[in-house]
Amino acid sequence: MVTQELLREEPKLTQFAFHRLLAWLDDGVDSGGETYIEMRRRLVAYFDRRNRPFADDLADQTFNRISKTLEQSGSIAVKPPARYCYVVARFVLLEDIRRSRRFVQVDEARDAMPLGPRPVMLIDDRALMQEQRLECLDRCLNQLKPEQRELAIEYYRDAKRERIERRRSLAERLGITMNALGVRACRIRNALQACLDACCKNV
Amino acid sequence: MSQPKELISEEQHGQLINYLLGLLPEEEAERLDEASIVDDDVAARLCSVEHDLVDAYVMETLDPDTRGRFETHYLTSPRRREKVKFARRFLTAVDRASAPPVAPLVVAASRSERVRLFPAKPDSGRPIAVGSRYNWPLLTAAASVVLACGVLVNDLQLRQGLNRARRLGVTTDRRVGALTEQLDQARNENIEIAEALERARAAAATEQPAVSPPPALSSSNVTVASAPATVLFPQTRSIGQAPKIEVAASAESVLFELRLESNEYPQYQAVLKDPDTDRIVWRSAVVRARAASPAFVSLVVPADRLEPRHYSFELAGIDRAGHQTTTGTYALQIDRR
């Protein structure tokens, strides 16, 4: 499996190495780990847009390599850190594409294997699962601060023109630009999706 | 990371959409690859554009070409499919959280074949004349009305509970949602009871023409108890004019019951469209049909979405794999008073 290959290649970061990576990403401004989370999200999205099936692993592999460089050289001259992240990520991507070509025959053979009858999920089970997920989402929404919750609901209501008008008036009310509002809404939505994923795993 | 700059132009917006749909030349796509990681501004715009694109797909407001490309490119990744699934749930939650409170203030202009309303009929208040010791039709009617009264009490309690919950503010929003659902359920039960009552009355009138219901069962009680619902029947070629539904100016929402020809799907979702422009003006949550014979799908539409004009509901059945199939179209005309 490609993932196993990746994990073998890049051992996990030590706590010390991880903190050094966080400090390098923050570039002198302590973000409390937010810069790392945001950069990881961007890397995962990048690998995913490039249709890599293990985007999370590739993002971690990118950080591992940067961390190794930091360990060996003590510092990285390329500024800002995000640019260096992209440079490394591009290499990781190209290597993964090359590696997948090597593994493609094995993967294709595995994919071609008959899977046998898929377990049938009863309608009630599906409904129950859906219900649980919606409950999880409600729980996640309730974990937000009231103003964040209100923002998310207002921002994502309606469609097309109504949605734009609503956002415009919301930005005016909050005294911020539409883009700043978009950034806030995106962060909230991403956080909600992460919360929902975590919640569903525990259900 | 710095804060992003000002507004996104139409051109940039289109470029980001094309990037997400894999329609850009390689060189341009690589430039955006880099910008999406290095440039905070582009990263933020891309995030926003992607969410809106996914939402538009879920709300079925994409044009056919974009929708096709979305399905053949964007949905090829499991991670992105998850984003679509999340959007469905998220938008359902947003709809639920932003829906106005329900008030039963709908009156139909006429009782046509495709529109039936269920407020209890005004009663003459005739004196009781007990015709026999065991007057079964009357007893049935009485039992129905007692049940209706029970539901009325339940309904009132739910209303009070709902109001209390609203006053508690944001932290109790979830409870409000649950109470609203119960209230809707109670209303649905009321409708069934009112129907049963009508049937029982009809039977009583046939068998005991001289017998009237007792004062305790007078229709004024039932009028309050039974919530008006508008029943729509699927459009067929033989049916001409769309039923006219009068919505009071003070109404906050309108309860519709879409009658199913057959209940074949575990879940349903409806969209309300302006047939002139094909614009979707409202979308329901994913719901189950009421398991009666015939089956109905109940929908509560916020009254502020209904302007005086023609509309049509498009009802889609959702199978176990999540695929949607249109099961019927229900035309209607709204009048505001």
Side-chain angles (χ1 to χ4, degrees):
Chain A
M1 290 275 289
V2 178
T3 341
Q4 286 166 351
E5 187 79 6
L6 287 175
L7 291 173
R8 272 202 300 276
E9 193 185 311
E10 302 291 334
K12 280 186 177 175
L13 290 178
T14 63
Q15 202 173 355
F16 176 75
F18 184 62
H19 282 291
R20 188 169 48 199
L21 175 72
L22 291 187
W24 174 77
L25 279 168
D26 279 349
D27 204 16
V29 183
D30 186 6
S31 73
E34 271 195 28
T35 310
Y36 168 80
I37 291 169
E38 174 61 15
M39 182 52 65
R40 192 177 184 282
R41 186 192 69 75
R42 290 183 194 179
L43 289 173
V44 171
Y46 162 66
F47 290 121
D48 185 51
R49 280 194 297 273
R50 285 289 169 173
N51 294 317
R52 307 319 300 157
F54 303 105
D56 281 288
D57 292 340
L58 296 179
D60 290 339
Q61 196 185 344
T62 304
F63 283 138
N64 285 354
R65 289 203 186 174
I66 294 169
S67 197
K68 207 180 277 178
T69 307
L70 280 170
E71 190 185 349
Q72 287 164 357
S73 318
S75 66
I76 292 169
V78 179
K79 293 271 178 176
R83 188 171 303 282
Y84 188 71
C85 285
Y86 172 69
V87 172
V88 177
R90 193 152 183 275
F91 277 111
V92 170
L93 173 80
L94 294 173
E95 283 173 22
D96 189 58
I97 291 170
R98 232 174 285 143
R99 191 166 28 218
S100 66
R101 280 183 194 144
R102 263 191 283 144
F103 281 85
V104 76
Q105 286 178 335
V106 179
D107 286 349
E108 274 174 3
R110 187 198 61 210
D111 291 346
M113 281 167 68
L115 295 171
R118 287 171 64 186
V120 177
M121 195 179 267
L122 297 171
I123 296 172
D124 282 354
D125 291 343
R126 280 179 60 87
L128 182 69
M129 214 161 101
Q130 196 159 6
E131 190 83 5
Q132 283 170 341
R133 282 182 177 154
L134 280 172
E135 269 184 24
C136 271
L137 185 57
D138 280 350
R139 214 175 298 157
C140 291
L141 272 168
N142 283 335
Q143 280 171 16
L144 293 174
K145 290 175 188 166
E147 61 271 20
Q148 287 179 321
R149 190 173 178 278
E150 194 193 339
L151 188 147
I153 289 165
E154 280 294 294
Y155 190 85
Y156 290 108
R157 270 177 77 173
D158 300 326
K160 291 191 168 178
R161 186 169 291 279
E162 284 170 331
R163 188 181 253 208
I164 294 166
E165 289 304 322
R166 196 178 286 281
R167 287 176 182 182
R168 192 162 288 147
S169 65
L170 181 61
E172 272 174 26
R173 217 177 333 141
L174 295 171
I176 56 175
T177 64
M178 287 277 275
N179 277 345
L181 178 67
V183 172
R184 284 191 200 177
C186 263
R187 283 190 184 151
I188 294 170
R189 183 160 166 163
N190 289 335
L192 272 177
Q193 189 170 358
C195 173
L196 180 69
D197 291 345
C199 177
C200 288
K201 276 178 195 160
N202 294 330
V203 169
Chain B
M1 290 182 202
S2 61
Q3 281 297 307
K5 296 172 213 116
E6 228 345 278
L7 282 171
I8 180 167
S9 71
E10 283 290 319
E11 193 188 345
Q12 285 172 320
H13 185 269
Q15 195 188 30
L16 292 177
I17 296 272
N18 286 340
Y19 173 57
L20 289 167
L21 296 177
L23 291 169
L24 288 185
E26 184 55 27
E27 201 179 313
E28 224 172 311
E30 275 192 18
R31 193 183 59 75
L32 275 176
D33 277 345
E34 180 174 1
S36 72
I37 291 174
V38 178
D39 189 331
D40 292 343
D41 182 35
V42 173
R45 287 171 182 181
L46 190 62
C47 176
S48 189
V49 167
E50 186 174 10
H51 285 161
D52 284 346
L53 178 68
V54 171
D55 290 354
Y57 175 74
V58 168
M59 292 187 281
E60 291 176 18
T61 54
L62 291 178
D63 63 75
D65 286 349
T66 312
R67 186 178 179 83
R69 184 66 194 173
F70 188 93
E71 285 169 350
T72 54
H73 178 83
Y74 191 90
L75 291 182
T76 52
S77 146
R79 180 178 295 277
R80 282 174 270 165
R81 285 200 294 274
E82 276 304 312
K83 284 184 181 180
V84 172
K85 275 189 197 169
F86 171 76
R88 283 192 207 286
R89 291 181 202 122
F90 178 61
L91 293 179
T92 305
V94 166
D95 275 352
R96 214 168 36 189
S98 58
V102 177
L105 292 167
V106 191
V107 179
S110 64
R111 287 167 67 102
S112 75
E113 246 188 55
R114 291 163 63 198
V115 181
R116 283 189 291 147
L117 293 177
F118 296 107
K121 287 179 197 169
D123 198 278
S124 56
R126 282 171 287 177
I128 321 168
V130 180
S132 70
R133 197 173 172 187
Y134 298 105
N135 189 334
W136 290 112
L138 187 59
L139 283 175
T140 311
S144 301
V145 175
V146 167
L147 274 173
C149 290
V151 177
L152 168 66
V153 171
N154 189 18
D155 193 320
L156 289 173
Q157 284 171 343
L158 284 167
R159 273 167 198 275
Q160 285 166 356
L162 192 57
N163 287 334
R164 268 200 306 276
R166 282 197 191 112
R167 280 198 296 274
L168 285 174
V170 179
T171 52
T172 52
D173 271 2
R174 217 164 145 253
R175 219 175 123 225
V176 173
L179 285 166
T180 307
E181 277 174 26
Q182 286 177 45
L183 186 57
D184 287 343
Q185 210 177 334
R187 286 197 174 112
N188 289 339
E189 286 166 10
N190 276 352
I191 292 161
E192 285 169 1
I193 289 163
E195 280 181 298
L197 182 58
E198 276 193 67
R199 281 197 297 273
R201 274 189 179 140
T206 315
E207 290 175 33
Q208 300 280 340
V211 176
S212 301
L217 310 179
S218 76
S219 62
S220 58
N221 287 345
V222 183
T223 305
V224 182
S226 60
T230 302
V231 177
L232 298 177
F233 288 71
Q235 210 167 6
T236 63
R237 276 180 228 171
S238 60
I239 291 175
Q241 215 181 352
K244 196 182 279 183
I245 294 146
E246 208 169 281
V247 179
S250 54
E252 289 181 55
S253 58
V254 183
L255 175 60
F256 290 97
E257 299 254 292
L258 307 188
R259 181 168 165 174
L260 303 177
E261 284 181 332
S262 60
N263 185 8
E264 295 169 16
Y265 294 91
Q267 291 177 316
Y268 293 86
Q269 188 170 32
V271 291
L272 183 64
K273 280 188 170 178
D274 176 348
D276 296 335
T277 60
D278 217 31
R279 187 174 68 93
I280 294 175
V281 295
W282 178 81
R283 177 186 301 277
S284 79
V286 174
V287 292
R288 288 198 221 186
R290 201 145 46 84
S293 184
F296 288 92
V297 169
S298 301
L299 305 169
V300 180
V301 181
D304 61 7
R305 304 291 176 93
L306 300 170
E307 290 171 15
R309 64 160 72 131
H310 282 91
Y311 289 99
S312 65
F313 278 110
E314 270 183 27
L315 186 67
I318 305 172
D319 66 18
R320 291 178 190 182
H323 297 129
Q324 295 201 359
T325 308
T326 303
T327 58
T329 304
Y330 303 75
L332 64 150
Q333 188 190 339
I334 295 292
D335 260 12
R336 300 298 303 243
R337 63 178 169 85

PDB file of all heavy atoms in Angstrom, chain B residues 162-189:
ATOM      1  N   LEU B 162     -42.554  26.100  23.599  1.00  0.00           N
ATOM      2  CA  LEU B 162     -41.797  26.696  22.497  1.00  0.00           C
ATOM      3  C   LEU B 162     -41.464  28.153  22.810  1.00  0.00           C
ATOM      4  O   LEU B 162     -40.334  28.600  22.642  1.00  0.00           O
ATOM      5  CB  LEU B 162     -42.639  26.601  21.225  1.00  0.00           C
ATOM      6  CG  LEU B 162     -41.976  26.900  19.902  1.00  0.00           C
ATOM      7  CD1 LEU B 162     -40.778  26.014  19.678  1.00  0.00           C
ATOM      8  CD2 LEU B 162     -42.975  26.692  18.773  1.00  0.00           C
ATOM      9  N   ASN B 163     -42.469  28.878  23.301  1.00  0.00           N
ATOM     10  CA  ASN B 163     -42.234  30.284  23.633  1.00  0.00           C
ATOM     11  C   ASN B 163     -41.197  30.435  24.747  1.00  0.00           C
ATOM     12  O   ASN B 163     -40.334  31.299  24.699  1.00  0.00           O
ATOM     13  CB  ASN B 163     -43.540  30.962  24.058  1.00  0.00           C
ATOM     14  CG  ASN B 163     -44.437  31.178  22.855  1.00  0.00           C
ATOM     15  OD1 ASN B 163     -43.944  31.287  21.741  1.00  0.00           O
ATOM     16  ND2 ASN B 163     -45.737  31.208  23.067  1.00  0.00           N
ATOM     17  N   ARG B 164     -41.324  29.546  25.743  1.00  0.00           N
ATOM     18  CA  ARG B 164     -40.365  29.609  26.858  1.00  0.00           C
ATOM     19  C   ARG B 164     -38.953  29.369  26.334  1.00  0.00           C
ATOM     20  O   ARG B 164     -38.027  30.095  26.673  1.00  0.00           O
ATOM     21  CB  ARG B 164     -40.713  28.544  27.898  1.00  0.00           C
ATOM     22  CG  ARG B 164     -41.640  29.041  29.002  1.00  0.00           C
ATOM     23  CD  ARG B 164     -41.541  28.132  30.223  1.00  0.00           C
ATOM     24  NE  ARG B 164     -41.781  26.732  29.914  1.00  0.00           N
ATOM     25  CZ  ARG B 164     -42.972  26.187  29.846  1.00  0.00           C
ATOM     26  NH1 ARG B 164     -44.050  26.917  30.049  1.00  0.00           N
ATOM     27  NH2 ARG B 164     -43.112  24.894  29.567  1.00  0.00           N
ATOM     28  N   ALA B 165     -38.850  28.341  25.490  1.00  0.00           N
ATOM     29  CA  ALA B 165     -37.528  27.985  24.955  1.00  0.00           C
ATOM     30  C   ALA B 165     -36.935  29.131  24.152  1.00  0.00           C
ATOM     31  O   ALA B 165     -35.742  29.398  24.220  1.00  0.00           O
ATOM     32  CB  ALA B 165     -37.635  26.741  24.088  1.00  0.00           C
ATOM     33  N   ARG B 166     -37.795  29.814  23.379  1.00  0.00           N
ATOM     34  CA  ARG B 166     -37.301  30.949  22.579  1.00  0.00           C
ATOM     35  C   ARG B 166     -36.723  32.028  23.466  1.00  0.00           C
ATOM     36  O   ARG B 166     -35.698  32.616  23.162  1.00  0.00           O
ATOM     37  CB  ARG B 166     -38.440  31.522  21.752  1.00  0.00           C
ATOM     38  CG  ARG B 166     -38.716  30.689  20.543  1.00  0.00           C
ATOM     39  CD  ARG B 166     -39.536  31.480  19.555  1.00  0.00           C
ATOM     40  NE  ARG B 166     -39.993  30.557  18.546  1.00  0.00           N
ATOM     41  CZ  ARG B 166     -41.261  30.208  18.374  1.00  0.00           C
ATOM     42  NH1 ARG B 166     -42.192  30.738  19.112  1.00  0.00           N
ATOM     43  NH2 ARG B 166     -41.592  29.345  17.451  1.00  0.00           N
ATOM     44  N   ARG B 167     -37.414  32.261  24.590  1.00  0.00           N
ATOM     45  CA  ARG B 167     -36.944  33.316  25.492  1.00  0.00           C
ATOM     46  C   ARG B 167     -35.580  32.971  26.068  1.00  0.00           C
ATOM     47  O   ARG B 167     -34.819  33.824  26.446  1.00  0.00           O
ATOM     48  CB  ARG B 167     -37.974  33.546  26.603  1.00  0.00           C
ATOM     49  CG  ARG B 167     -39.151  34.410  26.167  1.00  0.00           C
ATOM     50  CD  ARG B 167     -39.886  34.974  27.368  1.00  0.00           C
ATOM     51  NE  ARG B 167     -40.489  33.932  28.180  1.00  0.00           N
ATOM     52  CZ  ARG B 167     -41.689  33.422  27.943  1.00  0.00           C
ATOM     53  NH1 ARG B 167     -42.404  33.859  26.944  1.00  0.00           N
ATOM     54  NH2 ARG B 167     -42.173  32.480  28.714  1.00  0.00           N
ATOM     55  N   LEU B 168     -35.305  31.702  26.188  1.00  0.00           N
ATOM     56  CA  LEU B 168     -34.016  31.311  26.769  1.00  0.00           C
ATOM     57  C   LEU B 168     -32.847  31.643  25.857  1.00  0.00           C
ATOM     58  O   LEU B 168     -31.707  31.604  26.281  1.00  0.00           O
ATOM     59  CB  LEU B 168     -34.016  29.812  27.073  1.00  0.00           C
ATOM     60  CG  LEU B 168     -34.825  29.392  28.287  1.00  0.00           C
ATOM     61  CD1 LEU B 168     -34.858  27.893  28.395  1.00  0.00           C
ATOM     62  CD2 LEU B 168     -34.267  29.995  29.553  1.00  0.00           C
ATOM     63  N   GLY B 169     -33.115  31.929  24.605  1.00  0.00           N
ATOM     64  CA  GLY B 169     -32.068  32.416  23.717  1.00  0.00           C
ATOM     65  C   GLY B 169     -31.303  31.332  22.981  1.00  0.00           C
ATOM     66  O   GLY B 169     -31.796  30.223  22.818  1.00  0.00           O
ATOM     67  N   VAL B 170     -30.107  31.689  22.588  1.00  0.00           N
ATOM     68  CA  VAL B 170     -29.340  30.855  21.668  1.00  0.00           C
ATOM     69  C   VAL B 170     -29.053  29.468  22.224  1.00  0.00           C
ATOM     70  O   VAL B 170     -29.109  28.476  21.508  1.00  0.00           O
ATOM     71  CB  VAL B 170     -28.007  31.563  21.349  1.00  0.00           C
ATOM     72  CG1 VAL B 170     -27.162  30.728  20.410  1.00  0.00           C
ATOM     73  CG2 VAL B 170     -28.265  32.920  20.748  1.00  0.00           C
ATOM     74  N   THR B 171     -28.764  29.388  23.496  1.00  0.00           N
ATOM     75  CA  THR B 171     -28.365  28.105  24.067  1.00  0.00           C
ATOM     76  C   THR B 171     -29.477  27.071  24.003  1.00  0.00           C
ATOM     77  O   THR B 171     -29.219  25.883  24.074  1.00  0.00           O
ATOM     78  CB  THR B 171     -27.959  28.269  25.548  1.00  0.00           C
ATOM     79  OG1 THR B 171     -29.010  28.956  26.200  1.00  0.00           O
ATOM     80  CG2 THR B 171     -26.661  29.036  25.662  1.00  0.00           C
ATOM     81  N   THR B 172     -30.705  27.525  23.872  1.00  0.00           N
ATOM     82  CA  THR B 172     -31.809  26.569  23.839  1.00  0.00           C
ATOM     83  C   THR B 172     -32.374  26.377  22.437  1.00  0.00           C
ATOM     84  O   THR B 172     -33.417  25.765  22.268  1.00  0.00           O
ATOM     85  CB  THR B 172     -32.942  27.011  24.778  1.00  0.00           C
ATOM     86  OG1 THR B 172     -33.260  28.338  24.457  1.00  0.00           O
ATOM     87  CG2 THR B 172     -32.556  26.890  26.215  1.00  0.00           C
ATOM     88  N   ASP B 173     -31.684  26.882  21.440  1.00  0.00           N
ATOM     89  CA  ASP B 173     -32.177  26.773  20.063  1.00  0.00           C
ATOM     90  C   ASP B 173     -32.513  25.337  19.688  1.00  0.00           C
ATOM     91  O   ASP B 173     -33.476  25.056  18.978  1.00  0.00           O
ATOM     92  CB  ASP B 173     -31.134  27.305  19.087  1.00  0.00           C
ATOM     93  CG  ASP B 173     -31.321  28.796  18.872  1.00  0.00           C
ATOM     94  OD1 ASP B 173     -32.212  29.372  19.512  1.00  0.00           O
ATOM     95  OD2 ASP B 173     -30.574  29.350  18.090  1.00  0.00           O
ATOM     96  N   ARG B 174     -31.685  24.438  20.154  1.00  0.00           N
ATOM     97  CA  ARG B 174     -31.864  23.046  19.784  1.00  0.00           C
ATOM     98  C   ARG B 174     -33.187  22.498  20.307  1.00  0.00           C
ATOM     99  O   ARG B 174     -33.892  21.745  19.651  1.00  0.00           O
ATOM    100  CB  ARG B 174     -30.710  22.227  20.334  1.00  0.00           C
ATOM    101  CG  ARG B 174     -30.327  21.159  19.381  1.00  0.00           C
ATOM    102  CD  ARG B 174     -29.012  20.570  19.668  1.00  0.00           C
ATOM    103  NE  ARG B 174     -29.102  19.168  19.324  1.00  0.00           N
ATOM    104  CZ  ARG B 174     -29.157  18.224  20.211  1.00  0.00           C
ATOM    105  NH1 ARG B 174     -29.083  18.495  21.486  1.00  0.00           N
ATOM    106  NH2 ARG B 174     -29.253  16.977  19.832  1.00  0.00           N
ATOM    107  N   ARG B 175     -33.479  22.914  21.535  1.00  0.00           N
ATOM    108  CA  ARG B 175     -34.721  22.470  22.139  1.00  0.00           C
ATOM    109  C   ARG B 175     -35.917  23.021  21.362  1.00  0.00           C
ATOM    110  O   ARG B 175     -36.921  22.364  21.170  1.00  0.00           O
ATOM    111  CB  ARG B 175     -34.773  22.939  23.593  1.00  0.00           C
ATOM    112  CG  ARG B 175     -35.375  21.910  24.512  1.00  0.00           C
ATOM    113  CD  ARG B 175     -35.298  22.348  25.939  1.00  0.00           C
ATOM    114  NE  ARG B 175     -36.620  22.365  26.511  1.00  0.00           N
ATOM    115  CZ  ARG B 175     -37.088  23.345  27.249  1.00  0.00           C
ATOM    116  NH1 ARG B 175     -36.356  24.383  27.481  1.00  0.00           N
ATOM    117  NH2 ARG B 175     -38.302  23.275  27.734  1.00  0.00           N
ATOM    118  N   VAL B 176     -35.787  24.278  20.945  1.00  0.00           N
ATOM    119  CA  VAL B 176     -36.852  24.903  20.164  1.00  0.00           C
ATOM    120  C   VAL B 176     -37.128  24.072  18.916  1.00  0.00           C
ATOM    121  O   VAL B 176     -38.278  23.814  18.560  1.00  0.00           O
ATOM    122  CB  VAL B 176     -36.468  26.352  19.771  1.00  0.00           C
ATOM    123  CG1 VAL B 176     -37.516  26.932  18.821  1.00  0.00           C
ATOM    124  CG2 VAL B 176     -36.371  27.221  21.008  1.00  0.00           C
ATOM    125  N   GLY B 177     -36.032  23.646  18.273  1.00  0.00           N
ATOM    126  CA  GLY B 177     -36.173  22.833  17.064  1.00  0.00           C
ATOM    127  C   GLY B 177     -36.964  21.574  17.345  1.00  0.00           C
ATOM    128  O   GLY B 177     -37.884  21.210  16.605  1.00  0.00           O
ATOM    129  N   ALA B 178     -36.619  20.926  18.471  1.00  0.00           N
ATOM    130  CA  ALA B 178     -37.289  19.675  18.816  1.00  0.00           C
ATOM    131  C   ALA B 178     -38.769  19.923  19.082  1.00  0.00           C
ATOM    132  O   ALA B 178     -39.640  19.164  18.639  1.00  0.00           O
ATOM    133  CB  ALA B 178     -36.624  19.068  20.043  1.00  0.00           C
ATOM    134  N   LEU B 179     -39.046  21.001  19.816  1.00  0.00           N
ATOM    135  CA  LEU B 179     -40.441  21.318  20.125  1.00  0.00           C
ATOM    136  C   LEU B 179     -41.230  21.641  18.860  1.00  0.00           C
ATOM    137  O   LEU B 179     -42.384  21.258  18.726  1.00  0.00           O
ATOM    138  CB  LEU B 179     -40.512  22.510  21.091  1.00  0.00           C
ATOM    139  CG  LEU B 179     -40.137  22.194  22.538  1.00  0.00           C
ATOM    140  CD1 LEU B 179     -39.900  23.468  23.320  1.00  0.00           C
ATOM    141  CD2 LEU B 179     -41.222  21.366  23.203  1.00  0.00           C
ATOM    142  N   THR B 180     -40.563  22.340  17.952  1.00  0.00           N
ATOM    143  CA  THR B 180     -41.234  22.671  16.693  1.00  0.00           C
ATOM    144  C   THR B 180     -41.622  21.401  15.954  1.00  0.00           C
ATOM    145  O   THR B 180     -42.723  21.296  15.411  1.00  0.00           O
ATOM    146  CB  THR B 180     -40.306  23.529  15.816  1.00  0.00           C
ATOM    147  OG1 THR B 180     -39.872  24.622  16.593  1.00  0.00           O
ATOM    148  CG2 THR B 180     -41.024  24.043  14.585  1.00  0.00           C
ATOM    149  N   GLU B 181     -40.678  20.447  15.966  1.00  0.00           N
ATOM    150  CA  GLU B 181     -40.983  19.186  15.290  1.00  0.00           C
ATOM    151  C   GLU B 181     -42.172  18.500  15.941  1.00  0.00           C
ATOM    152  O   GLU B 181     -43.061  17.977  15.281  1.00  0.00           O
ATOM    153  CB  GLU B 181     -39.767  18.265  15.349  1.00  0.00           C
ATOM    154  CG  GLU B 181     -38.776  18.581  14.242  1.00  0.00           C
ATOM    155  CD  GLU B 181     -37.508  17.779  14.376  1.00  0.00           C
ATOM    156  OE1 GLU B 181     -37.565  16.681  14.961  1.00  0.00           O
ATOM    157  OE2 GLU B 181     -36.464  18.254  13.906  1.00  0.00           O
ATOM    158  N   GLN B 182     -42.162  18.512  17.295  1.00  0.00           N
ATOM    159  CA  GLN B 182     -43.279  17.880  18.001  1.00  0.00           C
ATOM    160  C   GLN B 182     -44.594  18.590  17.680  1.00  0.00           C
ATOM    161  O   GLN B 182     -45.629  17.971  17.518  1.00  0.00           O
ATOM    162  CB  GLN B 182     -43.036  17.927  19.501  1.00  0.00           C
ATOM    163  CG  GLN B 182     -41.976  16.937  19.965  1.00  0.00           C
ATOM    164  CD  GLN B 182     -41.726  17.098  21.446  1.00  0.00           C
ATOM    165  OE1 GLN B 182     -42.660  17.199  22.229  1.00  0.00           O
ATOM    166  NE2 GLN B 182     -40.468  17.118  21.832  1.00  0.00           N
ATOM    167  N   LEU B 183     -44.482  19.915  17.600  1.00  0.00           N
ATOM    168  CA  LEU B 183     -45.671  20.711  17.294  1.00  0.00           C
ATOM    169  C   LEU B 183     -46.206  20.354  15.906  1.00  0.00           C
ATOM    170  O   LEU B 183     -47.408  20.169  15.721  1.00  0.00           O
ATOM    171  CB  LEU B 183     -45.303  22.197  17.355  1.00  0.00           C
ATOM    172  CG  LEU B 183     -46.433  23.212  17.217  1.00  0.00           C
ATOM    173  CD1 LEU B 183     -47.488  22.995  18.263  1.00  0.00           C
ATOM    174  CD2 LEU B 183     -45.881  24.620  17.318  1.00  0.00           C
ATOM    175  N   ASP B 184     -45.279  20.235  14.977  1.00  0.00           N
ATOM    176  CA  ASP B 184     -45.685  19.840  13.625  1.00  0.00           C
ATOM    177  C   ASP B 184     -46.359  18.476  13.646  1.00  0.00           C
ATOM    178  O   ASP B 184     -47.360  18.246  12.981  1.00  0.00           O
ATOM    179  CB  ASP B 184     -44.468  19.778  12.700  1.00  0.00           C
ATOM    180  CG  ASP B 184     -43.982  21.172  12.364  1.00  0.00           C
ATOM    181  OD1 ASP B 184     -44.761  22.116  12.581  1.00  0.00           O
ATOM    182  OD2 ASP B 184     -42.838  21.292  11.914  1.00  0.00           O
ATOM    183  N   GLN B 185     -45.750  17.580  14.443  1.00  0.00           N
ATOM    184  CA  GLN B 185     -46.303  16.227  14.550  1.00  0.00           C
ATOM    185  C   GLN B 185     -47.717  16.282  15.121  1.00  0.00           C
ATOM    186  O   GLN B 185     -48.631  15.622  14.641  1.00  0.00           O
ATOM    187  CB  GLN B 185     -45.409  15.414  15.455  1.00  0.00           C
ATOM    188  CG  GLN B 185     -45.400  13.946  15.111  1.00  0.00           C
ATOM    189  CD  GLN B 185     -44.434  13.209  16.001  1.00  0.00           C
ATOM    190  OE1 GLN B 185     -43.479  13.786  16.503  1.00  0.00           O
ATOM    191  NE2 GLN B 185     -44.693  11.943  16.203  1.00  0.00           N
ATOM    192  N   ALA B 186     -47.842  17.104  16.171  1.00  0.00           N
ATOM    193  CA  ALA B 186     -49.160  17.240  16.798  1.00  0.00           C
ATOM    194  C   ALA B 186     -50.172  17.784  15.797  1.00  0.00           C
ATOM    195  O   ALA B 186     -51.316  17.345  15.743  1.00  0.00           O
ATOM    196  CB  ALA B 186     -49.071  18.163  18.003  1.00  0.00           C
ATOM    197  N   ARG B 187     -49.706  18.734  14.975  1.00  0.00           N
ATOM    198  CA  ARG B 187     -50.609  19.299  13.962  1.00  0.00           C
ATOM    199  C   ARG B 187     -51.018  18.239  12.961  1.00  0.00           C
ATOM    200  O   ARG B 187     -52.174  18.158  12.553  1.00  0.00           O
ATOM    201  CB  ARG B 187     -49.919  20.452  13.247  1.00  0.00           C
ATOM    202  CG  ARG B 187     -49.833  21.668  14.106  1.00  0.00           C
ATOM    203  CD  ARG B 187     -49.542  22.875  13.247  1.00  0.00           C
ATOM    204  NE  ARG B 187     -49.603  24.047  14.092  1.00  0.00           N
ATOM    205  CZ  ARG B 187     -48.566  24.786  14.398  1.00  0.00           C
ATOM    206  NH1 ARG B 187     -47.398  24.506  13.898  1.00  0.00           N
ATOM    207  NH2 ARG B 187     -48.696  25.819  15.194  1.00  0.00           N
ATOM    208  N   ASN B 188     -50.044  17.444  12.584  1.00  0.00           N
ATOM    209  CA  ASN B 188     -50.357  16.369  11.634  1.00  0.00           C
ATOM    210  C   ASN B 188     -51.396  15.422  12.218  1.00  0.00           C
ATOM    211  O   ASN B 188     -52.309  14.975  11.543  1.00  0.00           O
ATOM    212  CB  ASN B 188     -49.097  15.592  11.264  1.00  0.00           C
ATOM    213  CG  ASN B 188     -48.192  16.414  10.383  1.00  0.00           C
ATOM    214  OD1 ASN B 188     -48.658  17.354   9.749  1.00  0.00           O
ATOM    215  ND2 ASN B 188     -46.926  16.084  10.343  1.00  0.00           N
ATOM    216  N   GLU B 189     -51.209  15.121  13.507  1.00  0.00           N
ATOM    217  CA  GLU B 189     -52.181  14.251  14.162  1.00  0.00           C
ATOM    218  C   GLU B 189     -53.552  14.913  14.182  1.00  0.00           C
ATOM    219  O   GLU B 189     -54.578  14.273  13.992  1.00  0.00           O
ATOM    220  CB  GLU B 189     -51.708  13.919  15.576  1.00  0.00           C
ATOM    221  CG  GLU B 189     -50.568  12.926  15.573  1.00  0.00           C
ATOM    222  CD  GLU B 189     -49.862  12.827  16.923  1.00  0.00           C
ATOM    223  OE1 GLU B 189     -50.374  13.390  17.898  1.00  0.00           O
ATOM    224  OE2 GLU B 189     -48.815  12.205  16.966  1.00  0.00           O
TER     225      GLU B 189
END
